[in-house]
Amino acid sequence: MISIIILFEKENTEEKIITSTFNIVQKEGVQKATTKKIAAEAGVNEVTIFRKFENKKIS
């Protein structure tokens, strides 16, 4: 049961980051979509973005 919750939280965090990225890019443009802004909107630490996503590509 715990592993299912952890998997859900992982996917939820990644989804929040992706959604926040799209929202910021739409509002402010790509150049102003910093990881700091994305992290703040997603409610995560900026380091979490780098841990969840090694690069800018979504696979």
Side-chain angles (χ1 to χ4, degrees), residues 7-48:
L7 180 61
F8 177 75
E9 288 176 0
K10 178 182 176 185
E11 290 177 1
N12 193 30
T13 299
E14 291 173 357
E15 187 176 305
K16 285 180 186 179
I17 293 168
I18 292 168
T19 301
S20 296
T21 301
F22 284 125
N23 290 341
I24 291 170
V25 168
Q26 185 178 19
K27 291 177 198 172
E28 302 181 27
V30 173
Q31 296 298 321
K32 294 185 180 180
T34 64
T35 54
K36 186 175 183 175
K37 287 180 183 179
I38 294 166
E41 183 165 315
V44 300
N45 188 303
E46 190 174 4
V47 175
T48 303

